Amino acid sequence: MASPISPIRTLLLMRHAKSAYPDGVADHDRPLAARGIREAALAGDWIRANVPPVDAVLCSTAKRTRQTLARTGIDAPVQYAERIYDARPGTVIDEINGVPSRFGSEVSTVLLIGHEPAISAVALGLADGSNRAAAESISLKFPTSAIAVLRTSGPWDQLALGGAALVTFHVPR
């Protein structure tokens, strides 16, 4: 049971929405496809209806992640992190651990928008094993626009492997 000193924190790990593959465009600069625009909006609707209000957003600098965030309609302070693009799972966890220094210690809900394969690896790595059905779904595929919801009672700067409960996994379609 969490004490008032250790409030429950919610982490949303979201993969960017479906992107387009225009000729001559570098991977970092690929925009969303029409399907991605629609599904990012659905993801935002689902987040607003099912989780506490987002206090802070960590987002890759890639065009498709920035456009995904814009289409969700989530209105919260944002930090764009180049390190999230093409990141290893440890780098993503390091970015999450930096939430207090970036946004302050009062942040209780963080949305992180990034890329595969790091997002699924982070979700599975942080999960404490309590939700096997959601973990199995994630291990099979973490589709575009999908969201893993994790909760922890510890501070952001101490979140480590096995340190969060995997609450649910949602694919907005």
Side-chain angles (χ1 to χ4, degrees):
M1 180 185 242
S3 73
I5 297 170
S6 298
I8 296 297
R9 290 177 177 78
T10 303
L11 174 63
L12 309 171
L13 295 173
M14 180 178 182
R15 183 179 178 192
H16 63 79
K18 181 71 177 167
S19 58
Y21 292 86
D23 288 337
V25 175
D27 182 74
H28 191 272
D29 299 325
R30 288 192 293 118
L32 292 182
R35 183 179 117 196
I37 291 168
R38 185 182 85 252
E39 290 173 357
L42 292 173
D45 292 343
W46 186 86
I47 290 168
R48 280 185 291 283
N50 292 282
V51 297
V54 173
D55 299 312
V57 179
L58 289 170
C59 186
S60 161
T61 56
K63 184 171 189 170
R64 60 191 176 274
T65 54
R66 291 181 284 123
Q67 288 181 334
T68 296
L69 174 58
R71 293 298 181 166
T72 65
I74 299 296
D75 185 22
V78 181
Q79 288 276 320
Y80 296 97
E82 178 71 36
R83 294 179 70 210
I84 296 172
Y85 176 74
D86 201 24
R88 293 184 187 277
T91 302
V92 175
I93 293 170
D94 187 52
E95 288 295 315
I96 296 164
N97 291 156
V99 163
S101 63
R102 288 176 180 249
F103 299 102
S105 60
E106 300 304 312
V107 170
S108 62
T109 303
V110 172
L111 169 63
L112 186 144
I113 303 175
H115 309 268
E116 271 297 278
I119 291 294
S120 62
V122 170
L124 293 172
L126 291 176
D128 62 6
S130 59
N131 188 336
R132 292 179 190 215
E136 185 176 322
S137 293
I138 290 169
S139 67
L140 291 173
K141 185 172 184 182
F142 202 114
T144 53
S145 300
I147 306 157
V149 180
L150 297 106
R151 292 220 170 100
T152 184
S153 59
W156 294 117
D157 60 358
Q158 294 177 25
L159 185 60
L161 296 177
L166 177 57
V167 177
T168 192
F169 179 60
H170 178 72
V171 182
R173 297 283 186 259

